[in-house]
Amino acid sequence: MALYPLPIAKWTVMALALIFVVIVPLTVHEYYLSILNLIFIAIVGALGLNILVGYTGQISIGHAAFMSVGAYTAANLAVRLDLPFWITLPAGGLMAAAIGVIVGMPSLRIKGLYLAIATLAGQLIIEWTINHVPAISGGAQASIQVDRPSLFGFSFNTQGSLYFFLLFFAVLAIVGTLNLVRSRIGRAFVAVRDQDIAAEIIGIDIYRYKLLAFAISSFYAGVCGVLYTYYFGIANYEQFQLIVSIDYLAMIIIGGLGSVLGSILGAVFVTLLPIVIRILMEDVGALFFTSAEMANVISGLRLGVFGGLIIFFLIVEPEGLNRLWRNIRSYFRVWPFSY
């Protein structure tokens, strides 16, 4: 695949580099750096799911399962073989890609709701396997402690050092996705999404590209799971349950299907929303609920807000936050003229 120049002005790239590499690490509090770190990890996972759902038109409700495959693969390699992160991270992604191809095989025959149910079954099977095979997880509900990554003797054990570590992989995922969607493979994905029968007529092997989309998406998910494992220092199945798959679906729907910028905006929005809800409920909810009730209320409110936002964007703005950003940019481009 040829490496294409970024479709962004050079001054924009330089400004973003100055902000994220120099200004943010020097001025932002460690707590907010931890939030940015979670956003960087979410961006990697959202980009992978958007390749499958947004660009190829397949439906998946098992994204978190592939994240868990990558997480436990890296954790076992790091703990049992003492391998460094630059080996365990791609290994976790490749293992997730292999499992993703197997789970994606039903896409050769089914689509739509039936494919969604098949990927949901994959989520449940993988989750059950991890919990009940001691060789993988150490037993039911077991966790694997993993040391923070290190490079040339330097350990990424603070939020500031993890910021640069995770920023690197987020930028790498963004650049890789931008190049992928503008390549021959990316154009084939879009052709399969828009009209698979017409794509097959013009010579595109739709079965091959469907499985390739599952493999690439699962690879991103596996890498995302590995990054979660290194960030929290633990691999635990509770980090990758079905609700996490729903969160990533919300990211790409709210951000915008078939858009790299939409994946980024969706990851930022969905990561920040629970934090904002918790802060507001702690200030306002204390007037109506006891501290014991607050946790259940916040959890239920989070799910309700997510569901409402998904329905809202599907009805009002199917192209999500990416479309809203383009509308705002177009407005100010011609302002103050009405045309």
Side-chain angles (χ1 to χ4, degrees):
M1 182 179 67
L3 186 64
Y4 297 88
L6 291 176
I8 307 173
K10 290 183 179 179
W11 66 267
T12 304
V13 175
M14 295 175 61
L16 290 174
L18 177 64
I19 293 172
F20 283 100
V21 177
V22 179
I23 297 177
V24 170
L26 294 177
T27 59
V28 175
H29 189 270
E30 194 167 89
Y31 170 74
Y32 299 105
L33 284 179
S34 67
I35 297 175
L36 285 173
N37 289 338
L38 291 175
I39 290 174
F40 293 151
I41 299 174
I43 287 173
V44 177
L47 286 170
L49 186 58
N50 217 343
I51 289 173
L52 180 65
V53 180
Y55 284 100
T56 318
Q58 308 300 300
I59 300 178
S60 175
I61 314 180
H63 202 59
F66 306 123
M67 293 168 59
S68 67
V69 171
Y72 277 97
T73 299
N76 280 286
L77 291 176
V79 172
R80 298 183 181 184
L81 301 180
D82 196 28
L83 295 179
F85 79 90
W86 47 269
I87 294 179
T88 61
L89 193 144
L94 291 173
M95 179 61 74
I99 301 298
V101 170
I102 296 174
V103 175
M105 283 182 178
S107 68
L108 306 181
R109 295 292 182 183
I110 59 178
K111 62 175 65 175
L113 178 62
Y114 299 101
L115 179 58
I117 299 300
T119 57
L120 176 59
Q123 165 85 35
L124 300 177
I125 291 171
I126 292 173
E127 187 175 320
W128 184 92
T129 302
I130 289 175
N131 280 329
H132 292 83
V133 178
I136 298 176
S137 60
Q141 300 183 3
S143 302
I144 302 177
Q145 300 286 339
V146 181
D147 293 333
R148 290 284 174 80
S150 60
L151 183 65
F152 302 121
F154 176 78
S155 179
F156 299 93
N157 52 11
T158 65
Q159 293 297 334
S161 58
L162 281 170
Y163 171 86
F164 291 103
F165 177 77
L166 297 172
L167 175 63
F168 171 79
F169 288 105
V171 172
L172 189 64
I174 292 170
V175 174
T177 306
L178 286 171
N179 278 274
L180 174 68
V181 299
R182 292 189 293 161
S183 69
R184 177 176 58 85
I185 296 174
R187 292 192 295 269
F189 285 166
V190 174
V192 172
R193 177 197 66 190
D194 292 343
Q195 185 54 261
D196 54 353
I197 297 177
E200 189 172 19
I201 291 173
I202 64 175
I204 294 176
D205 188 346
I206 61 173
Y207 299 141
R208 174 193 171 202
Y209 283 104
K210 282 182 178 181
L211 290 181
L212 183 60
F214 267 97
I216 295 175
S217 175
S218 301
F219 179 85
Y220 274 70
V223 170
C224 179
V226 176
L227 294 178
Y228 266 121
T229 298
Y230 278 122
Y231 178 75
F232 289 110
I234 188 173
N236 188 291
Y237 87 102
E238 293 183 352
Q239 298 170 330
F240 311 108
Q241 293 183 312
L242 180 60
I243 186 61
V244 178
S245 295
I246 304 300
D247 287 346
Y248 277 92
L249 274 176
M251 287 181 194
I252 62 174
I253 292 174
I254 294 173
L257 293 172
S259 166
V260 173
L261 179 59
S263 301
I264 299 171
L265 295 176
V268 173
F269 187 89
V270 173
T271 303
L272 293 180
L273 184 61
I275 299 173
V276 174
I277 291 176
R278 179 175 56 81
I279 294 174
L280 292 177
M281 288 301 297
E282 288 177 351
D283 294 337
V284 180
L287 302 175
F288 306 97
F289 304 100
T290 64
S291 57
E293 297 171 335
M294 191 67 69
N296 292 330
V297 172
I298 292 176
S299 177
L301 183 62
R302 172 179 172 274
L303 294 176
V305 171
F306 273 178
L309 286 172
I310 291 174
I311 294 173
F312 172 81
F313 277 97
L314 287 175
I315 295 175
V316 177
E317 187 51 81
E319 296 184 40
L321 295 173
N322 176 55
R323 180 65 180 182
L324 294 178
W325 164 249
R326 284 190 294 168
N327 290 342
I328 294 172
R329 187 178 61 182
S330 299
Y331 173 81
F332 281 103
R333 182 174 295 169
V334 299
W335 187 87
F337 304 103
S338 58
Y339 58 86

